[in-house]
Amino acid sequence: MVPPIVKRYLLAVNRYKWVIPASVVAGLSAGGIVAVQPDPPIDFLGEARLVANAPPITFSTIGSQVRQPVETFTKDTLLTPAVIEGVAKEVGIKPDRLEKAATIQIKGGGDPKDPNAAKAEIQLTYKDGDQKRVGDVMALLASRLIEQSRLNNSARLRAIISAIEQRLPSVRQDLAKAESILMRYDRTEGPQLFAAQDGNIIKSIASSQQQQQQLRLQLDGINAQINSIQRKLGLDPNQAYVSSALSADPIIASLRAQLQQIESQMTVLLKDLRPEHPQVVTLQKQQQAYEEEIRKRAAEVVGGNGQVTPFVANVRQDSNLDPARQQLANTLVNLKTQQESLQQQVASSLRSEQALRQQFSTIPNKQLERTRLEDQVKRQKSLYDQMQQKLVDAKAAEVEIVSSLGVAQAPSVAPASVKAPKSIPITLAVGAIVGLVAGAGVIFLLDMLEGTVYTDEDLREVIRQRDVAILGILPQVKSFIPGQSPILVKPNSPYAEYYERFRSNLRLTETKDLRVIMTISTIENEGKTVTAYNLAIASARAGKRTLLVEADLRSPSAAHQVNLTPDPDSQLEPLRYFGDISDCIRLAPDVENLYVVTSPGPQASAASLLESSELRRLLEDARGRFDLVILDSPPLSQCNDALLLEPLTDGMVLVTRPGVTQQSLLEEAIDQLTETANLRLLGAVVNGVEVQLPRAVEDALMNDAKEWLFTSSAPETVVMSDRN
């Protein structure tokens, strides 16, 4: 079985037969033009090979470092615009032509330590028709490329010198800044660091500890003396100070003597007198006055009006010390003063020791900080010295710069590959083959651009993509007798089984009770009328009372195909014709159970006739009297008559035909019929499909054709197929 794409292409070749000869003629013409063209002139190819130049003896380190390795070269770095323009000017050609004809290829290269690595080299070629110019160009290019390499190395060295000179002032400034920071640090923290290094801080701490020990020994002796005197006196140092001061004051001693005298008098008087006696009261007042004077004087002697120094509770008792006790009290006060002095000295020594220890604890951090600053100065100094050395080395390398390239193979010129002379027969054959292939491609392109669907496979695929059921594949009815109709009037037609299958598929649709259906098509010549007649004949022969209504009032009637003659009066008065149901419905003489309502012929007001009440009553009456009513309507692209008749039917059947149906119109019609809610599309049929009949059937058809030829003496046989 031929694949659909091949079948479609063969049909396209059959339609565009003229493309293949035209394309072959065009290919032969192009081949002839190429064959008569003169052979191109011989080109000459110049070659040269450059390799890495052996470095000379150098005294500078950077001189060998700036030499560019051969493997790092590119065409842009070698064939600079200056080189191309200079060579082109000397040989007298345009720079663009030289740039296109000259090629540079860098080969080899790898690890220089690997002995098996290929040595890097530059392959230089140039092609031209002038042999002398090729030699001149190659010689100039080789010398200019070597010079360009030297210039590149020199430029790299100058860039290094410039970079060092630009950075050197900032490095010098950083060095001066680091040295200044180290000097300031030495001025502030240097003495302590030097003292720590000499051991003076440790000695000072030890000396302070020794002094504290001596002071504590002295303090222990004084504390022992104070405790001993306190036990003897029964006074603490403060009380001893107060008592000693009061005992030494003559005024207090005088007041105390007078007070003792008054107390003595009061003691004598109280023996004979009562306490309320005026003399006793006077003495009491004098006693109180003297006591108050003693307290005042004691406050003056002690100092601070009794606020700073300890308050004296009993002045008479505290101020009454004998000379021995007064001497001990003075000694106790002096020892207390020495104790406080020694305590102050110990505290001061402790503070000094703590300060020294704190200072000593910071010495490691300060030493680390100074080491860091010193290292920073060393790094800056080292960097500055290296840059100075690099600068001197780079300036010394300026006189040692040479090219990185050297000539390994002198420029040579040889003819390029010579093409064999053209063969005219082979050239013409190639042109014909190319034309044939191009023609095949043009046919395929024209077929893709054309909107007609030519194969039944493609047509069925289009219908399936729109989710429409395919109710039948109807054959193309072949006839070897001229003028024979494709309508299957004879009962023994080999094509009848296809229409019987179509009728059965209609009965199996979702709408079970189908009484009135209508055949529609998108354009003319898709076989809509033949499909309607053959379906009606298949239904009638199945024992169903079948009515065929020719509802295409814009085309002539096809009733003569079943031996019916249209009523001549129907064209004059079509409404009366459709109104008289008994007269317009006629029985086909050659097919049992088949009735036909013939068309009155082309009508100017076809739409108004289809919407008339007479036609409506006719269809309503037919729905009750017949088992199946088939309406044949005009194409959808011609008018909307089918849409006017659709409400009177139970559904529509869309008829398509390969080679006639337009894909865009078909898709548009299906979308319109399926997307409108009140329109019922039952399915579609593919009409006019070529089918392979059995050998015996074809022989029978041929015998009928021979018998007809013998009886009618027809000059030729014609294969007919109605497309209405």
Side-chain angles (χ1 to χ4, degrees):
M1 184 177 179
V2 180
I5 186 66
V6 177
K7 182 178 178 181
R8 178 178 177 181
Y9 187 75
L10 292 177
L11 292 174
V13 171
N14 189 38
R15 292 195 308 275
Y16 301 105
K17 298 182 180 67
W18 56 271
V19 174
I20 296 296
S23 60
V24 172
V25 171
L28 289 173
S29 300
I33 293 174
V34 173
V36 299
Q37 293 294 325
D39 293 334
I42 299 176
D43 288 336
F44 292 92
L45 180 65
E47 294 182 349
R49 189 161 54 91
L50 304 179
V51 295
N53 187 22
I57 299 175
T58 57
F59 298 96
S60 61
T61 304
I62 202 169
S64 58
Q65 295 177 354
V66 297
R67 290 171 52 84
Q68 186 177 2
V70 177
E71 55 269 16
T72 61
F73 281 105
T74 62
K75 183 177 180 181
D76 295 334
T77 57
L78 291 175
L79 285 180
T80 61
V83 172
I84 294 174
E85 292 176 0
V87 175
K89 184 177 180 181
E90 290 194 25
V91 299
I93 60 175
K94 293 183 178 180
D96 295 341
R97 178 181 175 184
L98 176 61
E99 186 176 5
K100 292 179 180 179
T103 60
I104 288 181
Q105 185 178 6
I106 301 174
K107 300 180 180 179
D111 188 0
K113 297 180 180 180
D114 186 4
N116 297 324
K119 188 176 182 180
E121 62 179 22
I122 296 177
Q123 191 74 26
L124 179 63
T125 60
Y126 176 75
K127 183 184 290 186
D128 199 342
D130 190 340
Q131 183 176 5
K132 181 178 181 303
R133 185 163 56 202
V134 171
D136 295 341
V137 168
M138 292 305 300
L140 289 173
L141 278 179
S143 61
R144 292 294 177 89
L145 292 183
I146 294 174
E147 177 63 19
Q148 183 64 36
S149 173
R150 189 191 67 81
L151 295 176
N152 291 344
N153 293 339
S154 179
R156 295 176 67 184
L157 180 61
R158 287 196 299 272
I160 293 174
I161 294 174
S162 177
I164 295 174
E165 290 178 346
Q166 289 179 1
R167 191 180 174 189
L168 193 60
S170 62
V171 174
R172 185 186 300 111
Q173 185 177 0
D174 293 341
L175 175 60
K177 183 178 179 181
E179 291 175 344
S180 176
I181 293 174
L182 181 60
M183 291 176 62
R184 288 198 302 270
Y185 189 83
D186 286 341
R187 283 198 298 269
T188 56
E189 305 296 340
Q192 294 182 6
L193 294 176
F194 296 147
Q197 292 176 357
D198 295 341
N200 293 333
I201 295 178
I202 300 298
K203 294 178 182 179
S204 299
I205 293 174
S207 176
S208 176
Q209 291 176 347
Q210 185 177 3
Q211 182 182 4
Q212 292 175 24
Q213 186 177 5
Q214 294 176 358
L215 291 174
R216 286 191 181 95
L217 291 175
Q218 295 179 9
L219 187 60
D220 291 341
I222 292 175
N223 289 335
Q225 294 179 14
I226 291 175
N227 293 332
S228 177
I229 295 174
Q230 283 182 350
R231 286 193 300 271
K232 293 177 180 179
L233 287 177
L235 299 175
D236 58 20
N238 292 330
Q239 293 173 347
Y241 167 73
V242 172
S243 297
S244 176
L246 294 178
S247 298
D249 185 61
I251 297 175
I252 292 176
S254 175
L255 291 174
R256 188 174 62 249
Q258 294 178 7
L259 183 61
Q260 289 177 352
Q261 185 179 0
I262 291 173
E263 291 176 350
S264 298
Q265 293 178 4
M266 287 179 60
T267 302
V268 174
L269 291 176
L270 286 175
K271 290 179 178 181
D272 299 326
L273 299 176
R274 291 178 299 176
E276 294 84 1
H277 191 273
Q279 291 183 357
V280 175
V281 171
T282 301
L283 290 174
Q284 289 178 349
K285 290 180 180 180
Q286 290 179 356
Q287 181 185 8
Q288 293 176 355
Y290 279 121
E291 289 179 352
E292 182 66 25
E293 288 295 330
I294 289 174
R295 282 195 295 273
K296 291 181 180 179
R297 181 58 185 173
E300 291 176 357
V301 171
V302 175
N305 295 323
Q307 296 178 1
V308 179
T309 58
F311 178 74
V312 180
N314 193 344
V315 178
R316 293 180 60 184
Q317 180 180 353
D318 293 339
S319 62
N320 188 15
L321 293 177
D322 56 71
R325 289 175 61 84
Q326 186 174 2
Q327 184 177 0
L328 289 176
N330 291 332
T331 303
L332 181 60
V333 171
N334 292 331
L335 290 174
K336 180 64 176 178
T337 303
Q338 293 178 11
Q339 181 191 34
E340 292 177 352
S341 176
L342 290 174
Q343 288 177 348
Q344 290 294 332
Q345 292 179 13
V346 171
S348 177
S349 179
L350 285 173
R351 287 194 298 271
S352 177
E353 181 185 357
Q354 291 177 356
L356 290 173
R357 289 183 178 277
Q358 181 67 25
Q359 181 179 353
F360 185 75
S361 65
T362 60
I363 293 300
N365 293 334
K366 293 180 180 180
Q367 290 176 342
L368 290 176
E369 179 65 16
R370 191 183 187 285
T371 302
R372 186 185 66 81
L373 295 176
E374 188 175 6
D375 291 342
Q376 186 173 0
V377 171
K378 291 179 180 179
R379 287 195 301 270
Q380 294 294 337
K381 183 66 168 61
S382 176
L383 178 61
Y384 179 74
D385 293 341
Q386 289 179 7
M387 293 187 67
Q388 286 280 18
Q389 184 179 359
K390 288 287 185 182
L391 182 60
V392 173
D393 187 70
K395 290 183 177 180
E398 286 183 324
V399 298
E400 301 174 353
I401 290 298
V402 295
S403 176
S404 299
L405 299 176
V407 178
Q409 176 184 344
S412 61
V413 180
S417 59
V418 181
K419 296 182 180 179
K422 294 188 292 292
S423 175
I424 295 178
I426 294 177
T427 305
L428 293 177
V430 171
I433 294 173
V434 172
L436 183 62
V437 174
V442 170
I443 291 176
F444 184 78
L445 180 61
L446 292 175
D447 180 67
M448 295 297 293
L449 295 176
E450 189 175 358
T452 304
V453 183
Y454 283 96
T455 64
D456 58 318
E457 292 86 358
D458 292 341
L459 192 54
R460 280 182 285 176
E461 183 64 25
V462 173
I463 296 173
R464 288 195 185 97
Q465 287 179 356
R466 289 297 188 274
D467 295 330
V468 176
I470 299 178
L471 300 175
I473 306 298
L474 305 181
Q476 179 182 358
V477 180
K478 297 180 180 180
S479 176
F480 298 96
I481 302 175
Q484 185 174 353
S485 171
I487 296 176
L488 308 178
V489 178
K490 292 183 178 183
N492 59 349
S493 174
Y495 301 104
E497 61 175 320
Y498 294 96
Y499 287 94
E500 177 60 28
R501 192 178 303 154
F502 172 30
R503 187 187 70 84
S504 301
N505 290 337
L506 274 175
R507 294 180 59 188
L508 297 175
T509 57
E510 295 180 358
T511 307
K512 300 295 183 182
D513 188 15
L514 286 177
R515 287 298 185 93
V516 182
I517 64 173
M518 179 172 54
T519 58
I520 60 175
S521 64
T522 56
I523 58 176
E524 295 180 349
N525 299 326
E526 289 183 304
K528 169 180 55 61
T529 301
V530 173
T531 301
Y533 266 94
N534 288 337
L535 177 61
I537 292 172
S539 176
R541 286 182 176 152
K544 306 294 183 181
R545 285 175 55 85
T546 306
L547 174 64
L548 176 64
V549 180
E550 292 185 336
D552 186 358
L553 303 182
R554 301 175 188 273
S555 302
S557 173
H560 63 280
Q561 303 287 351
V562 292
N563 294 328
L564 287 176
T565 303
D567 187 356
D569 295 333
S570 63
Q571 191 170 8
L572 299 176
E573 296 181 7
L575 288 178
R576 177 179 294 182
Y577 170 71
F578 288 122
D580 191 355
I581 298 176
S582 60
D583 290 339
C584 68
I585 298 177
R586 302 168 62 185
L587 177 63
D590 296 336
V591 182
E592 185 180 359
N593 294 328
L594 177 61
Y595 297 83
V596 180
V597 177
T598 60
S599 171
Q603 297 292 321
S605 56
S608 61
L609 290 174
L610 296 177
E611 292 179 317
S612 65
S613 59
E614 287 80 1
L615 184 60
R616 181 181 296 273
R617 284 195 301 271
L618 171 63
L619 295 177
E620 291 176 354
D621 181 75
R623 181 184 290 273
R625 294 171 55 185
F626 293 92
D627 297 325
L628 181 63
V629 179
I630 301 173
L631 277 67
D632 181 25
S633 64
L636 295 175
S637 61
Q638 184 177 354
C639 59
N640 289 331
D641 293 354
L643 302 181
L644 298 176
L645 292 171
E646 194 276 336
L648 305 177
T649 68
D650 296 329
M652 298 176 291
V653 176
L654 180 61
V655 180
T656 62
R657 187 184 186 95
V660 178
T661 301
Q662 299 289 325
Q663 182 175 349
S664 59
L665 295 178
L666 177 61
E667 293 175 348
E668 182 179 357
I670 292 176
D671 292 341
Q672 180 182 3
L673 295 175
T674 55
E675 292 175 2
T676 306
N678 56 354
L679 297 179
R680 290 162 294 181
L681 180 62
L682 301 176
V685 295
V686 180
N687 182 40
V689 178
E690 293 185 1
V691 296
Q692 186 69 33
L693 297 176
R695 183 68 178 178
V697 175
E698 289 188 355
D699 292 342
L701 292 177
M702 290 296 295
N703 292 332
D704 292 341
K706 291 178 181 179
E707 183 179 353
W708 181 85
L709 287 174
F710 179 76
T711 56
S712 62
S713 300
E716 58 181 354
T717 61
V718 180
V719 178
M720 298 187 62
S721 177
D722 187 6
R723 290 175 176 264
N724 294 328

